[in-house]
Amino acid sequence: MMGITDLSTYLVGLALIILLPGPNSLYVVSVAARRGPRVAYRAAAGVLCGDTVLMTLSAGGVASLLQTTPVLFAVVKFAGAGYLTWLAVGMLRGAWALWRGRETRRAGRADEAPEAPKEAVERPFRRALVVSLLNPKAILFFISFFVQFVDPSYAHPVLSFLTLGAWAQLFSFTYLSVLIFSGTFLAATFRRRRRLTAGLSAGAGAAFLGFAAKLSLASAG
């Protein structure tokens, strides 16, 4: 069907892969917990756009070039690791400020509106997009996973890639939606427990540091 050799196996593998935690999904759920579903869907849109770009590059053979060019792979790898580290530091600083009660004191100032500036500075769509694009392992995953289910004798391979990509985006959107509303629920539950919220934010920052370390040690093979 549409040049896809084994759609059922692809869908099972895709579901398992999407369910694995990663920096994209963690960032989306953290935005949902802090800002609510409306802003979190901006981050989800950034993830989906980033995945679309990666799938397009993979179909065009760019992933193969990245895999066979160690210098290029290293540049993208360390740029991604650096960006994840920068995000982690921001999360940890925010957690520390929340733990010390600074946000509570600032909220009492009549001339200050803390939420609006934070949203304007954070730009969740752009952050999620950059996290997706600066992930060379994701590019290599797309090329190595997709090609296993595309029939090389099919006359229109573009249709095969579009179909596989559409399924991937559908699964990803569904999963991110579950995370968004789960994060919103957690935020409502722990809204008055600022120190617990700070601990969860610090945990997310530590996880991002772990992702950065893992990415910096990744190889193109």
Side-chain angles (χ1 to χ4, degrees):
M1 184 183 75
M2 302 290 290
I4 301 174
T5 58
D6 193 346
L7 181 60
S8 59
T9 301
Y10 169 77
L11 294 179
V12 172
L14 182 64
L16 294 175
I17 292 168
I18 288 179
L19 289 175
L20 292 175
N24 291 343
S25 58
L26 181 60
Y27 179 67
V28 170
V29 75
S30 70
V31 172
R34 290 181 286 111
R35 304 295 179 81
R38 183 174 181 178
V39 179
Y41 269 111
R42 299 181 196 172
V47 172
L48 296 177
C49 288
D51 288 346
T52 299
V53 173
L54 293 182
M55 285 185 283
T56 303
L57 294 176
S58 298
V62 175
S64 298
L65 175 64
L66 186 65
Q67 190 172 12
T68 56
T69 310
V71 174
L72 180 59
F73 181 86
V75 170
V76 177
K77 177 179 70 173
F78 287 113
Y83 189 73
L84 290 178
T85 301
W86 181 72
L87 290 180
V89 170
M91 289 182 177
L92 293 173
R93 290 179 61 186
W96 177 250
L98 188 59
W99 181 271
R100 295 292 299 272
R102 293 173 185 171
E103 291 191 6
T104 303
R105 292 193 294 270
R106 290 174 182 174
R109 299 178 184 175
D111 59 341
E112 196 169 334
E115 291 300 322
K118 287 168 66 178
E119 180 176 347
V121 170
E122 184 171 358
R123 297 175 183 173
F125 175 87
R126 188 176 69 178
R127 283 195 175 184
L129 178 64
V130 174
V131 168
S132 297
L133 295 179
L134 292 180
N135 190 349
K137 297 300 288 185
I139 300 176
L140 300 180
F141 156 75
F142 278 121
I143 193 65
S144 63
F145 189 67
F146 276 18
V147 295
Q148 298 181 37
F149 301 94
V150 175
D151 185 357
S153 63
Y154 187 63
H156 306 287
V158 173
L159 295 179
S160 304
F161 278 100
L162 286 176
T163 303
L164 294 174
W167 277 110
Q169 296 290 56
L170 177 62
F171 276 42
S172 182
F173 177 79
T174 302
Y175 177 58
L176 291 176
S177 294
V178 172
L179 292 180
I180 286 172
F181 288 102
S182 297
T184 304
F185 173 77
L186 291 175
T189 303
F190 299 119
R191 181 167 290 123
R192 295 186 178 181
R193 303 179 182 179
R194 291 186 174 273
R195 292 197 170 186
L196 179 58
T197 303
L200 294 175
S201 181
F208 265 73
L209 286 178
F211 288 129
K214 183 178 179 180
L215 179 58
S216 65
L217 298 175
S219 62

